Structure formats: C-alpha cells, structure tokens
Amino acid sequence: MKNLFKYAFVFVASALALTACTDDYEYDAPAPYQGLYITGEQSSFTFTPADEDQSFNVKVVRPQGGNAETISLESDNELFDVPESITYEAGQTEAEFTVHCALEPGQAETLNITLPEGSYDLNYFSGTFTITVNCDYVWEEAGSATLYSELLIYGFGMQPVEDVPVWHAVGTQMYRLKSAYRNGYDIDFYVDDDYNADYLPADQDTGLTYSGSTFHLYYYPAYGNTFTNEGNVFTMNVYIMNATSNFGTWDEAFVWDGWPGE
C-alpha cells in the first residue's frame, strides 16, 4: 500500500512539474505572410456581344502594408490593357485596377499577370495569376432533336432523348445540341452551306460519369471517324473514352426536327 501511494505521489509530482514547464515555455507564433499576391473577383469570365464593357477587376495585395512603393507588373496578352505597375500609399494593403478587352464572338483568350521575382512567397503564391476570358456567340433557336445514342442505350440502359433543343450561333455554321446527354453539357456540330454534316469538335464532354470518370466523344477523322447525314438524320461516328479506357467507335445519331436543309 505504501508503495502504491509512493508511486502515485511521484506521478502527480511529475505531472505538476511538466505543467509548470509547459506554462513557462513561450511558443513562437507563425510568422505572418509577408509576400504579395494577386486575386480577383474570379478567374474566368464570359461576355456576350451585347456587353458594351468587357472588363473585370484585379487586386494586388500586400497583407502587412508598409511604406509607399511602386510594384511592376508583367502580362502576356496585348488584347488586355493591364497596367505596367501599381502604386501603394504608405500603409495601403490593396491596389486594385480594372482590365478591359474587346473580344469578338467565339473568341477565347488567356491572360497571365505576373509579379516581380522575389516579391512573393512561393509557399503561398506562384507569382502568376491566370484569367480565362471568353466572348460567347449570339444564339438563336433552330428546332429540336431526338438523340439516339448507343452510349445511352447500351451503356446506360436508357431510352432515346426527345426534345433536345438545337441552337444556332448567329453568323456561323455552328449548331449545338443543348444539354444532350446531361444537363449543362452541350454537343456542338458544324454544317456546310447546304446544312449537311461538316465536322465535329475533337473532344466533347457528355457529362455522363462512371466510377468517377466522365465519358467524352472524340472525333478523329484521320482514324476513321465520320460525321454524316441523310436528310435530317445525322450520325456522329466517334470514339468514346474516359480517363482510363477507350471503348472504341460508337454511332451517336440524332434526328433534327426543323433542319434548315429541308
């Protein structure tokens, strides 16, 4: 019994000593982030031809403030009017500027804005802020379609999809099956001057997913893929693949109600 109390006393004394040591020790707080970084409202923008002002705002942040100074900027796309430098007043932590552009319908551009080397901490910021900007087309209704998809029928056991909206990009030969396979995933196609099948984009995401990987339609004419039509019946012979597998060529067909070639 005496030994039990002795061991208990030693344990308590040791715990108290450890607590005292812990209380006396001062831990250093993590150092605050000192470097600059670039941020914006978002990193991707889509405008339309109706937008009179294609612009967005960008900020360069210095979290700790500091003295008045001027920081140079580099950009890699002359279609955007990025300033060559920004200036901070003493104590100012953010410098904001507006970037303007004037893209044409269907035009897509990427802009990289880079800070001077040594002004940022690579543990927190890469030094470059990338922005993608698109100008969409003006779209008009061009009928509807029924999609007869081997991928849907044999791959997912689904029935043909009726009443798929067909849209036309005004001023072009491009048409679109709106949300053909899944809501939010469109399939584009191009016709010639007589509204017969011309070609397809090389890679289109169906939005259909299996085991976490989405199925894409790949159109490679050099490897035998075709896009043809007989009247308003269009057939897309394409490879169907996901991130891990190639499922070979499939025929994805649609009947276009309102085909302009009739």
Side-chain angles (χ1 to χ4, degrees):
M1 182 67 73
K2 289 181 181 179
N3 288 337
L4 178 61
F5 279 112
K6 181 174 70 172
Y7 295 142
F9 173 79
V10 171
F11 174 78
V12 172
S14 299
L16 290 174
L18 179 61
T19 302
C21 292
T22 304
D23 291 340
D24 291 339
Y25 187 82
E26 294 182 1
Y27 290 95
D28 293 330
Y33 176 55
Q34 300 290 337
L36 302 176
Y37 65 90
I38 304 175
T39 185
E41 302 159 332
Q42 55 202 59
S43 59
S44 179
F45 297 88
T46 298
F47 298 105
T48 70
D51 293 323
E52 296 181 1
D53 180 25
Q54 297 180 8
S55 65
F56 49 90
N57 295 327
V58 177
K59 290 180 182 179
V60 182
V61 182
R62 56 173 192 172
Q64 303 306 311
N67 298 325
E69 65 175 332
T70 297
I71 302 295
S72 63
L73 299 174
E74 292 185 4
S75 59
D76 65 349
N77 193 323
E78 295 181 350
L79 295 176
F80 300 88
D81 63 346
V82 178
E84 295 182 354
S85 63
I86 47 98
T87 299
Y88 294 96
E89 301 293 336
Q92 184 180 357
T93 58
E94 296 181 355
E96 186 173 33
F97 57 91
T98 301
V99 178
H100 296 271
C101 59
L103 304 187
E104 298 294 327
Q107 190 172 0
E109 297 288 338
T110 299
L111 169 66
N112 293 296
I113 304 174
T114 303
L115 293 171
E117 186 174 353
S119 68
Y120 51 89
D121 185 340
L122 279 171
N123 292 316
Y124 298 91
F125 182 66
S126 68
T128 298
F129 185 61
T130 301
I131 305 164
T132 58
V133 185
N134 301 278
C135 183
D136 201 359
Y137 296 97
V138 174
W139 294 92
E140 62 182 1
E141 295 181 359
S144 63
T146 300
L147 177 64
Y148 295 89
S149 163
E150 290 187 345
L151 174 61
L152 289 176
I153 296 171
Y154 300 117
F156 288 85
M158 299 174 62
Q159 298 299 312
V161 182
E162 300 180 347
D163 299 321
V164 177
V166 181
W167 289 7
H168 173 227
V170 175
T172 75
Q173 299 298 102
M174 183 174 77
Y175 289 79
R176 172 169 291 174
L177 299 174
K178 188 66 176 173
S179 298
Y181 293 85
R182 185 175 180 183
N183 189 37
Y185 293 84
D186 306 326
I187 299 298
D188 294 337
F189 63 96
Y190 293 81
V191 299
D192 61 20
D193 291 339
D194 296 320
Y195 303 102
N196 291 313
D198 193 1
Y199 67 96
L200 302 168
D203 176 9
Q204 302 196 79
D205 189 350
T206 66
L208 297 174
T209 301
Y210 179 74
S211 296
S213 181
T214 58
F215 290 93
H216 287 236
L217 309 184
Y218 288 95
Y219 176 68
Y220 297 141
Y223 292 92
N225 291 144
T226 58
F227 178 44
T228 59
N229 71 292
E230 294 185 9
N232 70 335
V233 180
F234 287 72
T235 302
M236 304 178 290
N237 177 264
V238 292
Y239 283 98
I240 293 182
M241 308 181 197
N242 62 14
T244 59
S245 302
N246 179 352
F247 298 92
T249 56
W250 299 55
D251 284 334
E252 305 294 287
F254 61 91
V255 179
W256 185 356
D257 184 16
W259 175 51
E262 290 182 319

